[in-house]
Amino acid sequence: MSQLSFTGHTVIVTGAGGGLGKAYSLLFASRGANVVVNDVSQAAAQKVVDEITKAGGKAVTNSASVTDGEAVIKTAVEAFGGVTILINNAGILRDKGFKNMSDQEWDQIMAVHLKGSYSCAKAAWPIFQKQGFGRIVNTASAAGLYGNFGQANYSAAKMGLVGFTKALAAEGARFNIKAMVVAPMAASAMTETIMPPEMLANLKPEFVAPFVLAITHPEGADANGRIFEVGAGFIAEIRWERSKGQYFKTDKTFTPSAVQEKWEQITDFDTDPEHPQTLPDFDIKAKIEESSKVSENPQGSPEVHFDGKTVIVTGAGSALGRAYALQYARLGGNVVVNDVNQKAAQAIVDEITKAGGKAVAAVTSAEDGEGIVKVALDKFGGAHVLVANAGVARPSAFEKLSEKDWDDVLAVHLRATYKCAKALWPIFLKQKYGRIVTMGSQAGLYGLPGLANYSTAKAGILGFTKTLAIEGKKYNIIANVVIPSAGTAAGLGRSGINVEAVKEEYVAPLVGYLSSDSNEETTGGIFQVAGGWIAQIRWQRAGGHGFPVNHPLQPEHIVAKWKLITDFDDDRATNPGSTQEAFMQIAENFGNVDEDAASGSDSNNPYADPEDPEVIANAKKEVEEPVEFSYTERDVILYNLGIGATEQELQWTYENHEEFAALPTFGVIPQFQASAGLSFDFLPNFNPAKLLHGEQYLAIKAPIPTSGELVNEARLMEVLDKGKAAAVTAIVETKDKHSGKVIFENQSTVFIRGSGGFGGKRTGKDRGPASAENPPPKRKPDAVVEEKTLPIQAALYRLSGDTNPLHILPEFAAVGGFDKPILHGLCSMGISGKHVLKTFGEYKDIKVRFAGVVYPGETLVTEMWKDGDKVTFTTKVKERNTTVLAAAAATLVNPGASVKAKL
C-alpha cells in the first residue's frame, strides 16, 4: 500500500517530552502532521518540537496539565486551526504495596491517567463532532489488564481507560469518532525504574509508534473500541472470553452451597466458550428459560455459612446490597449495613434483627472506609468480608458530561472501593484472612454510550481487584469481581420487575460463595450472573504477529498484517492470566531477527542490483502482504464483454459452451490491486497525479481457470532515474491459492514526472520480451483488424475492477485535459490482444507500450506482423490516425496452428 500520510491532520500527544510520547510526535510529524507536544516539562517538550522543526515538520509545545484539557486543545486550535487526533499518553507511576499506599498516591494516579484523559477528550469532542472525524488513542497497560503487584492505583487507572475507551467508541461511532486502546510495553522514564537495561533495549518506543499511526489514519486499520497489546515488535488484539456457564433453579435452594457444587462447570472454558464484545451480551429471556428447566439445585458440602464472620456491605440500603445483607445474616454472619440513607440502612438492620440475625448500620459515604470499618470493629470486634456494592449513575452524552458528574461517579464506585479495601487491609493481613467481592458492570466490560463515567469506574474496579488478588494471595486474602444483572437492569425493562428469576436475591448466591471459607483458590476472577445463570470471564489474546526486531517497523507493515494481528480463529489464541504470562509472548519476539537484514544479504530479494542507490535498495527489500483475488465465470464473462466479445462469440460469453474460456489478457485483472498498492513514497517529490502507466507485460504461465481463488505477490523490480522523471517497474506473480502454481506474471512500468534526480541508474536490464522495443517490420502488415468500440466501452470495462473516475466522470476527465472519459489502456490492450488471438491463435505472453488515449466509440485498428512465433503489432485510432499502442508484441504458443479450427 502507499505510505500513510497525515498531511492536513493535527495531532495532540500528551506526555510527549520523552519515551512513547516523543516517538509518537516524531513519527506523526515525519508523515506530515501538525503536532502539539504536550508535557508538563516545557524544556522537554521544546526539545521534541525543535527536533521536529529542524527536520522540516510543524510542531508547537503545550505545558498545561492534562487535567486542563481545554488549555491543551486550545493550543492546537490557535496554532493549527483544529485537531483531528488525540493521543492520551501522559502518565505517572506511584508504585507502592497496597498496605503502604497513601490516598495522595491513589489520587495522583487517578488525576493524570483518568481525569486527564477525560478532560482532553471532552475538550476535543465538540470539534470532532462538528467536523465528522476524530481519533482518540488511550493508553492502558498490562498492569491494568491483568493486575500487578504494587500497582493497585495504576492498575485501576489503566483498566479504567479500557472502559472509558469502549464507551467513547460506542458513542462516537455515528460521528466517525473512533477510540481505541493500546497497552504498550516500551522503554520510558516510567519503566526505567522497574525494568533492567537489557530488557529495555528490546522495548523501543519505535516498535509501538507505528501501530498508533496505523490505527489513527483515515485509511488505516479499523480498531474502534478494540484493545491491543504492543511491544518489541509483537502486536496482538485481546478480547473477552466467557465460559458457557451453569444454570440454576431460581428458588430458595439457589444458595452459595449450590454454586459451590457446580463451580467446575461455571469455570469450564473447554465447552463452547463465547466471545461477546458489545451489549446486549446475552439474551436474558433465553437464560431464564434455560434456568427454568433445572429441576433441582444440589448442595455442596460442607454448606457455606458465615458464623463468626463480620461482613461489610456498602450501598446496602436497597436492591442488590439489601439482598446481599439479608443473605449473609441468614447464613450466620454479622452484617454491617452501609448506606448514606439512614432510614434505608436502619430498615435493613431491623429486618435482619427481627429474623434473629445480627446487624448494625453504618450511615456514611462509602468513601469513608475507615468510618465504616470502625463501626464493624466497635460492634463486632472484627471484619472478614467486604462487598463493595455502593454506586451511583450520572448518565450523560459525553459532550455534556460535567466534571462534577465525572468526579462523583468515580468517587462512589472506584475511590470508595479503594478506601474500604484500604481500611480493611491491615486487619486482613494481621489475621491472614479476608474476602473481597467488588461489583463490576457490563458497561465496564463493553462500554455504554452516555455512561463514559460509569464505564470508566466499573472497568477500573476490575484492574484494582485483580491487583488486590495478587497482593493478598499469600495472606489468604481473596478478591473477585461480580458482574450482576438483576431487576430492571437485567434487560427486561420495567415489565421484568415481577419476574422471579431476575430478582436481586438470585445474584447473592454467587457473591456469597466467592466470599466464603469454601472458596480457597478462586481469586482475581470475573464472574457474570443473571437469571439463574453464572459464567466466568477472562481475556483471550489473538495469536498476533511478531515483526523482525532488526528491521524498522512502519505503519504500512501493520496494516498489511492486520488479519494476523486480529485473528482469534487460527488456533493460535492464548489466555494470559497475568502480566508475566502476557509478557512472555512479547519477550519471545526479542529473538525475531530477519537474518537477511542482519547480514545485509539480498538473498530474499531477487531484484537487488548493486548499481541501485541505498534508497532504491531499501525500497526493493519491502515485501508487501499477498493480495487475494477470487472470481467466478460471471467475472470472466464481464471481462470478455468489456474488451469487445459479442453474444455471437459464445466461447467467451456463455459459461456452458464446451470451449468457454477467459480471453488471455484477463491475466491483468487479478494483479491490479496488488501492483496498484505498491508504495512509491521513497521517490523524491512523489505525486500520484504525475504518474503515467507506461508499459504492461503479461505472461500466461498456465491454463487460465474460468473461476478460482488466486494470490498476488508484488515486488519492486526496477527503478530507473530518467533525470526529471522516474521509471518504476513492478512485478506481480499470480498464483493459485491452493496449489501455489503460478498462473500469470505481470510487469507494469510507470513513469513518474518530477521524481527523478535521485542518483539511480538510467538504463535498465534486458528483461527479454518484457522490455523489447518491438519495432514494426518495414513491410505491409500481415493482418489488419478493425473494431469499433462501444460508447459504453469504458463503463463496461469498469465492471472488472477499474475504479478510476477518469474513465467514467466527464468532469474528472476534463481536469485531466480530455474532452470526455477515456478508455482504460488495459482495455485497449485487451481488445488488441483479442485481435492477435483471433488472427494467429493463442499466445504465452504479450507486451504493449501505451502511446495515446482512446475515446469510447472510436475505432481501433490493429496492424500485425508475424515472424516465427512472434507477432509484432501497433494499434491506432482510425478516426484520428493516432497510435495508441506501440512497441507491442505477443509470443505465440503454436505458431503453425490453424486459428479457424478453434475459433
Side-chain angles (χ1 to χ4, degrees):
M1 66 180 298
S2 59
Q3 190 180 70
L4 299 177
S5 170
F6 286 83
T7 301
H9 285 273
T10 294
V11 182
I12 296 173
V13 183
T14 67
L20 278 170
K22 177 181 178 181
Y24 295 151
S25 299
L26 295 177
L27 191 55
F28 272 116
S30 74
R31 296 296 184 102
N34 308 315
V35 182
V36 175
V37 180
N38 162 265
D39 201 280
V40 289
S41 169
Q42 172 69 30
Q46 189 60 54
K47 284 184 179 179
V48 177
V49 168
D50 291 344
E51 189 170 343
I52 289 172
T53 54
K54 186 177 180 180
K58 298 177 181 178
V60 296
T61 64
N62 174 279
S63 57
S65 165
V66 287
T67 59
D68 186 3
E70 292 287 350
V72 176
I73 304 305
K74 182 181 179 183
T75 295
V77 174
E78 291 181 347
F80 302 116
V83 57
T84 55
I85 298 168
L86 170 65
I87 311 298
N88 281 319
N89 171 72
I92 58 172
L93 289 176
R94 295 292 184 268
D95 294 352
K96 195 77 67 72
F98 189 56
K99 68 176 181 178
N100 297 318
M101 185 171 289
S102 68
D103 288 354
Q104 182 182 20
E105 288 162 339
W106 175 272
D107 292 337
Q108 286 174 334
I109 291 291
M110 296 304 128
V112 174
H113 292 272
L114 289 182
K115 187 72 171 289
S117 296
Y118 152 75
S119 184
C120 290
K122 172 71 164 28
W125 199 260
I127 299 172
F128 288 170
Q129 282 183 313
K130 186 176 181 180
Q131 67 197 15
F133 180 91
R135 297 291 183 267
I136 299 172
V137 175
N138 291 317
T139 309
S141 78
L145 302 178
Y146 309 106
N148 200 38
F149 193 95
Q151 293 190 306
N153 49 3
Y154 187 74
S155 299
K158 286 306 190 183
M159 187 60 205
L161 285 171
V162 173
F164 177 57
T165 304
K166 285 182 171 288
L168 293 188
E171 191 163 342
R174 66 193 179 101
F175 300 106
N176 192 25
I177 303 172
K178 296 183 178 182
M180 26 271 179
V181 184
V182 175
M185 185 67 72
S188 69
M190 286 200 301
T191 55
E192 281 174 3
T193 62
I194 58 175
M195 289 184 180
E198 60 272 18
M199 185 178 291
L200 292 171
N202 290 291
L203 297 171
K204 298 176 182 178
E206 289 76 14
F207 284 125
V208 178
F211 179 79
V212 170
L213 269 70
I215 62 174
T216 53
H217 193 277
E219 297 174 7
D222 185 2
N224 193 36
R226 297 159 78 175
I227 313 164
F228 298 86
E229 294 182 278
V230 186
F234 177 79
I235 304 171
E237 183 179 7
I238 65 167
R239 66 178 182 180
W240 294 118
E241 182 172 61
R242 186 173 67 198
S243 67
K244 184 179 180 180
Q246 176 65 29
Y247 293 93
F248 296 85
K249 183 178 179 64
T250 49
D251 64 8
K252 64 182 181 180
T253 66
F254 186 13
T255 66
S257 296
V259 174
Q260 176 187 359
E261 179 66 16
K262 294 294 184 181
W263 197 246
E264 186 176 339
Q265 290 85 351
I266 290 169
T267 57
D268 176 17
F269 282 92
D270 293 331
T271 307
D272 301 325
E274 302 168 336
H275 302 94
Q277 302 305 317
T278 58
L279 290 173
D281 61 327
F282 62 83
D283 182 344
I284 184 60
K285 291 181 180 179
K287 299 298 182 191
I288 293 171
E289 182 179 352
E290 287 297 318
S291 66
S292 71
K293 298 176 184 177
V294 179
S295 59
E296 61 178 349
N297 292 320
Q299 303 295 302
S301 180
E303 286 192 9
V304 173
H305 63 85
F306 291 88
D307 295 343
K309 297 291 193 299
T310 295
V311 182
I312 295 172
V313 183
T314 65
S318 62
L320 282 169
R322 172 182 178 272
Y324 301 153
L326 295 178
Q327 174 186 258
Y328 284 114
R330 194 165 55 246
L331 294 173
N334 309 315
V335 183
V336 178
V337 179
N338 162 255
D339 205 279
V340 292
N341 185 317
Q342 182 175 6
K343 183 178 180 181
Q346 192 58 50
I348 305 304
V349 171
D350 293 345
E351 188 174 353
I352 289 172
T353 55
K354 186 177 180 180
K358 299 176 182 179
V360 64
V363 182
T364 184
S365 165
E367 283 190 89
D368 183 14
E370 293 179 356
I372 296 170
V373 172
K374 185 176 185 299
V375 171
L377 297 177
D378 290 347
K379 179 69 175 179
F380 300 116
H384 306 86
V385 177
L386 168 65
V387 179
N389 172 72
V392 296
R394 297 284 188 273
S396 170
F398 187 59
E399 67 271 17
K400 297 178 181 178
L401 179 59
S402 69
E403 186 175 347
K404 183 178 186 304
D405 284 347
W406 174 271
D407 291 341
D408 286 351
V409 168
L410 265 73
V412 174
H413 290 274
L414 187 51
R415 195 172 193 274
T417 300
Y418 153 74
K419 287 291 288 181
C420 288
K422 185 70 170 62
L424 284 166
W425 204 253
I427 299 170
F428 288 176
L429 289 176
K430 185 176 181 179
Q431 66 197 19
K432 289 185 170 52
Y433 181 93
R435 296 292 185 269
I436 298 173
V437 178
T438 60
M439 293 299 123
S441 163
Q442 292 159 288
L445 296 178
Y446 312 114
L448 268 178
L451 287 170
N453 47 2
Y454 185 75
S455 299
T456 303
K458 286 303 190 183
I461 287 172
L462 303 184
F464 175 61
T465 306
K466 284 177 176 288
T467 292
L468 293 188
I470 293 167
E471 293 201 28
K473 190 171 185 179
K474 71 176 181 177
Y475 299 101
N476 192 24
I477 302 172
I478 285 177
N480 290 283
V481 184
V482 168
I483 310 290
S485 294
T488 56
L492 293 174
R494 303 193 69 83
S495 63
I497 294 175
N498 297 318
V499 175
E500 179 73 13
V502 299
K503 289 183 177 179
E504 286 90 353
E505 62 197 77
Y506 298 126
V507 172
L510 171 63
V511 176
Y513 170 70
L514 288 171
S515 58
S516 71
D517 290 349
S518 297
N519 175 26
E520 297 179 336
E521 296 183 357
T522 299
T523 190
I526 305 171
F527 297 89
Q528 192 164 10
V529 54
W533 163 77
I534 301 175
Q536 186 175 11
I537 295 171
R538 66 181 182 181
W539 288 119
Q540 184 186 48
R541 177 197 268 176
H545 183 70
F547 295 90
V549 295
N550 63 332
H551 194 285
L553 183 59
Q554 301 296 340
E556 296 76 21
H557 299 155
I558 291 158
V559 175
K561 295 294 184 182
W562 193 249
K563 184 177 180 181
L564 282 173
I565 290 169
T566 60
D567 192 343
F568 291 91
D569 301 319
D570 59 2
D571 297 324
R572 297 185 304 124
T574 57
N575 300 99
S578 67
T579 54
Q580 292 75 22
E581 290 178 16
F583 183 66
M584 282 178 62
Q585 198 168 2
I586 292 174
E588 287 172 3
N589 203 59
F590 288 178
N592 182 1
V593 175
D594 182 340
E595 297 295 342
D596 291 323
S599 64
S601 168
D602 285 315
S603 60
N604 67 332
N605 179 16
Y607 311 112
D609 190 323
E611 294 182 51
D612 283 334
E614 183 177 359
V615 64
I616 304 304
N618 289 336
K620 284 185 176 182
K621 291 177 183 177
E622 296 294 328
V623 180
E624 297 292 334
E625 185 75 7
V627 178
E628 294 188 4
F629 179 87
S630 60
Y631 66 101
T632 65
E633 293 173 337
R634 177 178 178 272
D635 298 303
V636 168
I637 294 171
L638 281 175
Y639 175 77
N640 291 346
L641 290 170
I643 60 170
T646 70
E647 76 284 357
Q648 295 180 3
E649 296 168 320
L650 295 179
Q651 73 275 26
W652 296 324
T653 57
Y654 179 49
E655 66 277 10
N656 290 324
H657 190 277
E658 62 180 3
E659 297 289 345
F660 177 65
L663 283 159
T665 50
F666 176 77
V668 303
I669 299 300
Q671 62 85 41
F672 191 77
Q673 291 301 321
S675 60
L678 287 171
S679 171
F680 297 147
D681 288 324
F682 58 89
L683 292 170
N685 306 313
F686 172 68
N687 182 346
K690 295 185 177 181
L691 184 150
L692 298 173
H693 193 172
E695 295 184 346
Q696 187 76 26
Y697 169 78
L698 166 67
I700 299 103
K701 300 284 191 176
I704 304 173
T706 54
S707 64
E709 293 181 311
L710 308 177
V711 176
N712 298 279
E713 298 173 352
R715 293 292 295 266
L716 281 178
M717 188 179 194
E718 187 173 73
V719 183
L720 303 180
D721 188 344
K722 297 294 186 178
K724 293 184 178 181
V728 181
T729 300
I731 183 170
V732 181
E733 277 194 336
T734 301
K735 302 177 181 179
D736 182 277
K737 180 179 178 180
H738 305 288
S739 69
K741 186 176 184 180
V742 178
I743 309 297
F744 307 113
E745 176 191 302
N746 277 270
Q747 295 181 29
S748 306
T749 301
V750 296
F751 295 92
I752 301 109
R753 293 168 291 162
S755 289
F758 52 84
K761 52 189 278 188
R762 294 185 64 88
T763 305
K765 294 180 179 179
D766 182 359
R767 293 181 278 116
S771 59
E773 283 297 319
N774 302 319
K778 294 182 178 179
R779 66 176 192 268
K780 288 184 178 181
D782 297 323
V784 178
V785 176
E786 289 189 12
E787 180 173 345
K788 187 174 179 60
T789 62
L790 300 172
I792 63 167
Q793 202 77 56
L796 191 57
Y797 188 81
R798 293 186 80 250
L799 299 178
S800 290
D802 168 25
T803 59
N804 191 338
L806 181 64
H807 306 135
I808 193 68
L809 289 179
E811 56 268 33
F812 197 93
V815 172
F818 304 109
D819 296 333
K820 55 184 177 179
I822 62 175
L823 205 58
H824 198 298
L826 292 176
C827 181
S828 301
M829 174 183 173
I831 293 172
S832 295
K834 182 183 61 172
H835 295 167
V836 173
L837 177 69
K838 293 175 73 172
T839 307
F840 296 107
E842 294 181 350
Y843 46 86
K844 57 186 178 184
D845 62 39
I846 183 171
K847 180 253 181 177
V848 303
R849 178 179 297 161
F850 303 107
V853 300
V854 180
Y855 293 105
E858 291 186 323
T859 304
L860 291 180
V861 179
T862 304
E863 300 174 339
M864 294 168 275
W865 296 262
K866 180 178 178 293
D867 294 289
D869 64 352
K870 180 177 180 178
V871 175
T872 304
F873 64 95
T874 299
T875 303
K876 301 178 180 178
V877 171
K878 182 177 182 180
E879 290 81 358
R880 293 182 282 117
N881 195 29
T882 301
T883 299
V884 292
L885 297 179
T891 305
L892 300 175
V893 175
N894 297 303
S898 168
V899 178
K900 296 299 180 182
K902 178 153 186 170
L903 301 181

